[in-house]
Amino acid sequence: MKKKLGILCLIAVILFTGVSCSGGNTKGGELDKAKKSAEAFVDALIKFDATELKKHMAEAELEDFSDDDLSEDTFADDEGFDFMGDVIKNTSIKFKSGEIKPEDKETQLTYEMTRSDLSAIMKELEDQVKKGGEDIVPSIDVKKIANKTMDLTIDLVKEKDEWKVTHADDLVMTIWGVDEIMEYVFGNMGGEE
């Protein structure tokens, strides 16, 4: 009996050691490195920090990206930027799933993204314009709009022992909700002139 118990303890130690030493998903392992890069990218996007954002983008993505693409100064004269800035800054992500094997050079991480419900915002803006006429500048308190939660997939590639975000343009459009806004506009307002 003692021999069986000793063997079981030895197996448990071996399994525990093997699991905690496998490079993929341990603290400080490849998954943590990839998560850190993905989360830093999203954080920089929310803060309109182009310099920090570029640190987490794949090399191939950088040639089509300029700091002006993300600078708050670029949008400062646009009517409604403060409002959309508040919407974007109301975004948060929480890791859901992802796996990296030692031989992997590419991966996808899935996050739960929470942000203002852009369809509700568009509906409110549409209602304000209908009630106030063409000269009204609609205003919405973003804090009073319900949040919406959805899955966000972030693609990464390994470059020089670091994980970098790929398909950055698509990711920016998703986080900023451009597709959701366009879907609302064409689905609900497309027939009006």
Side-chain angles (χ1 to χ4, degrees):
M1 180 71 164
K2 286 183 183 180
K3 188 175 181 179
K4 285 183 182 178
L5 187 57
I7 290 172
L8 288 175
C9 287
L10 180 61
I11 290 171
V13 168
I14 290 170
L15 287 174
F16 177 76
T17 305
V19 168
S20 64
C21 292
S22 66
N25 297 326
T26 61
K27 199 138 184 94
E30 294 303 314
L31 182 58
D32 281 344
K33 288 179 187 178
K35 285 170 52 180
K36 184 177 178 182
S37 184
E39 291 162 15
F41 176 91
V42 173
D43 188 53
L45 180 62
I46 291 168
K47 293 178 180 174
F48 294 92
D49 185 344
T51 304
E52 184 65 24
L53 187 80
K54 288 171 24 178
K55 291 178 186 176
H56 305 285
M57 291 172 58
E59 192 69 34
E61 307 268 325
L62 293 174
E63 60 191 46
D64 295 329
F65 183 84
S66 90
D67 289 356
D68 290 341
D69 291 340
L70 188 66
S71 168
E72 282 190 77
D73 294 339
T74 302
F75 303 107
D77 295 333
D78 290 353
E79 233 178 79
F81 173 72
D82 288 339
F83 163 72
M84 281 311 291
D86 289 344
V87 169
I88 293 163
K89 289 174 183 174
N90 187 39
T91 303
S92 64
I93 61 171
K94 181 180 175 185
F95 181 72
K96 279 182 75 174
S97 65
E99 183 179 335
I100 301 176
K101 296 177 183 138
E103 68 274 6
D104 288 347
K105 299 295 181 211
E106 295 179 357
T107 193
Q108 280 190 334
L109 303 181
T110 303
Y111 284 84
E112 178 181 272
M113 179 174 69
T114 303
R115 68 144 192 259
S116 302
D117 183 345
L118 296 175
S119 294
I121 288 171
M122 294 302 295
K123 174 77 171 111
E124 178 65 25
L125 289 172
E126 183 182 9
D127 291 346
Q128 286 184 19
V129 169
K130 283 180 181 176
K131 289 178 188 172
E134 291 181 19
D135 295 333
I136 187 173
V137 176
S139 64
I140 293 177
D141 184 354
V142 173
K143 294 176 182 112
K144 292 182 179 179
I145 297 292
N147 284 337
K148 181 178 182 178
T149 301
M150 64 200 82
D151 282 349
L152 176 70
T153 301
I154 301 178
D155 296 317
L156 296 106
V157 63
K158 193 168 186 181
E159 294 180 348
K160 300 178 187 171
D161 202 37
E162 292 183 4
W163 289 95
K164 303 287 186 169
V165 172
T166 63
H167 306 106
D169 287 344
D170 294 336
L171 193 54
V172 168
M173 294 300 147
T174 300
I175 292 170
W176 283 3
V178 173
D179 293 342
E180 191 176 344
I181 291 169
M182 296 309 291
E183 184 178 313
Y184 181 86
V185 168
F186 290 120
N188 295 294
M189 298 163 60
E192 298 177 15
E193 294 190 24

